[in-house]
Amino acid sequence: MRKYYLDNLRWLIILILFPYHVLLIYSSIGSYYFHVTNSVIANAFILTFAPWFMQLLFTVAGIATYYSLKKRDANQYLKERVSKLLLPTVAGIILVIPVSVYFGYLYMGYTGNFLSFLLNHFTNLVQNLGNGLLIGPLWFLLYLFIISLVALPIIMKYKKGTWKLPIEKVTIPKLLSLIIPLAIGSFFLDLYPEKSIVQFFLLFIFGYFFLSDDGIQEKLEDKRWPLFISFLVLIIIYLVGTVPSIGSITTTASTSALTVTSVLSMFLVKLFENAIMWLGVLGVMGMGKHYLEFKNSKTLYLSAVSFPIYIFHIVWINLFAYYIINWIPNLMALQVILIMGLSFVFTIATIEVVRRIKGVRFLFGIKG
């Protein structure tokens, strides 16, 4: 039986990327194509979602893999991963991301034409890979493809083995204890800036082996309010401690050797961050199971085009941001509304156009 609440969670999270990426323009958090100002509202919104919402997508992907491998063999699963993840990533890197980067360059004062920009963009592959400009938000699809490849042999060996996890003994406290390996894993392998593929791999694996179980999903639904409220409390503490200092503190690189105290301090910070993340994943899943288990024509459509939305949205956000910010300066609220609304409409329009071009739609994993 299909879990429609998981589909609904996926497209809802992807739609959050519209306000998230628009508000990054008005924030000093992290790196983006360009920044306009340092808004407290933008910072608070971003930090409310940044610790957990992409992590939820990897967890849902692990759960979806459980259901997928019930009706597909390993080869069929791999072919699906190539067509749905790898091919759109490559197509996006070549055809989509350069356009979004170009408008960022224009805002920062670049005066060259698009062809000269393209030449520079693709001749500085190592540099643009390191700073995230080569892949942009497509890091998610690339990470998910790599994780799927690495996880598949583990999953297939488990499926063919005789030993099985005692899922019926997994309680909510035991699930919460997984914060510790997640915190440890988040220290390693940031293939993309500040994004640990080890942490995302663990989330995928936990999704497949634990959260795919109907009994555990029912436990999350039953404890949805304690989990979600605990998550909100930690988020509020995080915001109160973080938002006021954004943009006011400069950091310098330290060359001093690591000490036991500094390592312990870093681990405690990671533990807190992963507690927010994991409680967010579990709490939102519990709420989703209770309130989002439904379907209609709109939800089915958004579920079908969620990944193409992910691929195309960034181009339209940057394009409209470049023009609208220059056309109506000093009106942040109106700018944000216009950029979000127009970029969503044009993203859907792009998908509908591409869907009708047989020789192109397969590049982006879009069905006719």
Side-chain angles (χ1 to χ4, degrees):
M1 180 178 176
R2 190 171 184 89
K3 308 286 185 179
Y4 289 104
Y5 84 93
L6 295 174
D7 293 333
N8 292 335
L9 281 175
R10 184 188 295 110
W11 65 256
L12 280 170
I13 291 297
I14 287 176
L15 289 188
I16 287 172
L17 287 169
F18 283 94
Y20 186 88
H21 280 143
V22 171
L23 289 174
L24 270 176
I25 298 170
Y26 302 90
S27 167
S28 294
I29 297 173
S31 61
Y32 192 68
Y33 301 93
F34 54 94
H35 294 281
V36 174
T37 186
N38 182 28
S39 165
V40 172
I41 295 173
N43 292 337
F45 181 91
I46 292 162
L47 290 178
T48 297
F49 290 93
W52 64 273
F53 79 132
M54 294 304 295
Q55 286 83 346
L56 178 58
L57 285 181
F58 282 94
T59 308
V60 169
I63 300 171
T65 292
Y66 173 83
Y67 297 119
S68 178
L69 288 173
K70 275 189 167 184
K71 54 186 179 181
R72 295 177 179 86
D73 61 28
N75 288 331
Q76 291 171 326
Y77 176 78
L78 283 175
K79 288 179 181 178
E80 180 199 45
R81 297 291 87 182
V82 169
S83 63
K84 192 173 182 179
L85 299 175
L86 181 60
L87 189 57
T89 299
V90 175
I93 289 172
I94 297 171
L95 301 174
V96 176
I97 297 302
V99 182
S100 63
V101 177
Y102 178 63
F103 282 101
Y105 268 52
L106 289 179
Y107 186 86
M108 299 301 292
Y110 181 75
T111 57
N113 59 40
F114 185 64
L115 290 178
S116 61
F117 160 77
L118 273 182
L119 180 63
N120 175 71
H121 181 73
F122 285 114
T123 53
N124 292 287
L125 292 179
V126 175
Q127 178 184 340
N128 287 335
L129 182 62
N131 59 27
L133 290 180
L134 186 68
I135 299 178
L138 299 184
W139 69 267
F140 164 66
L141 300 183
L142 182 59
Y143 266 33
L144 188 52
F145 178 73
I146 295 170
I147 288 169
S148 299
L149 289 185
V150 175
L152 185 60
I154 300 171
I155 291 169
M156 298 310 296
K157 186 172 182 179
Y158 176 80
K159 285 169 66 73
K160 294 175 182 177
T162 56
W163 179 79
K164 299 296 178 184
L165 289 168
I167 297 295
E168 69 282 354
K169 296 181 180 180
V170 176
T171 61
I172 296 297
K174 288 179 179 178
L175 281 178
L176 291 175
S177 70
L178 296 176
I179 292 169
I180 296 174
L182 286 167
I184 295 171
S186 64
F187 277 101
F188 303 104
L189 283 181
D190 287 7
L191 302 184
Y192 189 85
E194 300 180 8
K195 291 176 174 60
S196 164
I197 197 170
V198 175
Q199 182 199 56
F200 291 123
F201 172 79
L202 290 174
L203 289 164
F204 183 94
I205 288 295
F206 294 161
Y208 179 90
F209 285 104
F210 298 115
L211 302 186
S212 61
D213 180 73
D214 287 341
I216 289 180
Q217 291 180 25
E218 289 171 4
K219 291 175 184 178
L220 292 179
E221 181 181 18
D222 182 58
K223 300 297 182 183
R224 64 189 182 279
W225 282 112
L227 289 168
F228 192 70
I229 291 172
S230 298
F231 160 66
L232 291 180
V233 168
L234 290 186
I235 276 288
I236 291 170
I237 294 171
Y238 179 58
L239 293 178
V240 169
T242 306
V243 171
S245 64
I246 293 174
S248 63
I249 296 176
T250 56
T251 58
T252 56
S254 173
T255 57
S256 59
L258 291 176
T259 65
V260 173
T261 303
S262 66
V263 171
L264 180 60
S265 176
M266 287 189 292
F267 178 72
L268 290 176
V269 170
K270 287 289 187 182
L271 199 63
F272 178 68
E273 292 173 348
N274 280 271
I276 295 173
M277 180 272 292
W278 192 229
L279 279 168
V281 168
L282 298 181
V284 171
M285 273 196 61
M287 299 295 277
K289 187 176 190 312
H290 192 77
Y291 296 107
L292 296 177
E293 187 55 62
F294 62 88
K295 65 172 180 174
N296 55 47
S297 59
K298 294 183 178 64
T299 64
L300 291 174
Y301 175 80
L302 289 169
S303 296
V305 300
S306 58
F307 278 8
I309 288 174
Y310 189 94
I311 295 168
F312 292 120
H313 81 284
I314 198 68
V315 170
W316 293 112
I317 286 176
N318 283 3
L319 182 151
F320 286 116
Y322 172 71
Y323 288 109
I324 289 172
I325 290 169
N326 286 308
W327 286 342
I328 48 172
N330 305 318
L331 292 172
M332 175 180 163
L334 182 57
Q335 290 171 359
V336 169
I337 292 170
L338 287 174
I339 296 167
M340 283 196 301
L342 288 169
S343 60
F344 176 75
V345 170
F346 275 77
T347 296
I348 297 299
T350 302
I351 293 169
E352 289 305 310
V353 170
V354 172
R355 184 199 298 277
R356 288 162 173 77
I357 306 174
K358 293 182 179 180
V360 177
R361 66 188 180 210
F362 78 96
L363 293 175
F364 299 101
I366 300 175
K367 296 179 179 179

